[in-house]
């Protein structure tokens, strides 16, 4: 079994799975409603996929939820793979001030 792409992908997949289970429907049902292949849907639930915005919106629509609910709190360095670094606007401003000094 493949490992999740990132902590964010894993948590997003867990939220998608929980929403589906709460509705009492199968992966195949949601995949069909979201107009995607069930294999790709399964990868999302397992956190193995890096979903594009339109896919997230289609999934949220199929699950009858706001996309923001599926994405809440998924930001910052701890959510990204270790090899990546997230820079915030605060980092940018601090670096610019350091250059000006």
């Amino acid at each position: 079994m493949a490992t999740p792409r990132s902590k964010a992908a894993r948590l997003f997949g867990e939220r998608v799975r929980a929403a589906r289970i709460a509705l009492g429907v199968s992966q195949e049902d949601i995949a069909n409603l979201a107009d995607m292949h069930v294999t790709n849907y399964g990868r999302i639930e397992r956190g193995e996929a890096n979903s594009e915005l339109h896919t997230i919106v289609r999934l949220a629509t199929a699950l009858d939820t706001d996309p923001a609910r599926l994405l809440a709190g998924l930001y910052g360095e701890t959510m990204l793979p270790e090899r990546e670094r997230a820079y915030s606007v605060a980092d940018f401003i601090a670096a610019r001030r350091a250059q000006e000094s």
Side-chain angles (χ1 to χ4, degrees):
M1 183 177 196
T3 59
R5 291 182 60 96
S6 66
K7 185 176 179 182
R10 181 181 56 78
L11 290 172
F12 176 75
E14 288 174 2
R15 292 173 184 175
V16 168
R17 178 182 297 122
R20 176 183 60 79
I21 290 170
L23 293 169
V25 294
S26 69
Q27 286 186 341
E28 188 171 9
D29 292 333
I30 296 299
N32 287 332
L33 289 169
D35 195 28
M36 62 190 312
H37 194 278
V38 68
T39 302
N40 291 334
Y41 177 82
R43 290 185 66 236
I44 290 170
E45 279 199 2
R46 291 188 301 276
E48 297 169 3
N50 190 18
S51 299
E52 295 181 358
L53 179 59
H54 70 272
T55 301
I56 293 168
V57 172
R58 285 194 333 245
L59 285 171
T61 300
L63 294 165
D64 197 26
T65 192
D66 189 313
R69 191 165 166 238
L70 299 173
L71 297 170
L74 300 183
Y75 62 90
E77 279 185 66
T78 62
M79 292 292 150
L80 298 173
E82 288 183 28
R83 67 184 184 278
E84 295 181 25
R85 166 72 165 94
Y87 292 97
S88 69
V89 71
D91 295 329
F92 173 77
I93 292 169
R96 185 170 62 187
R97 286 183 180 153
Q99 286 179 338
E100 293 171 355
S101 300

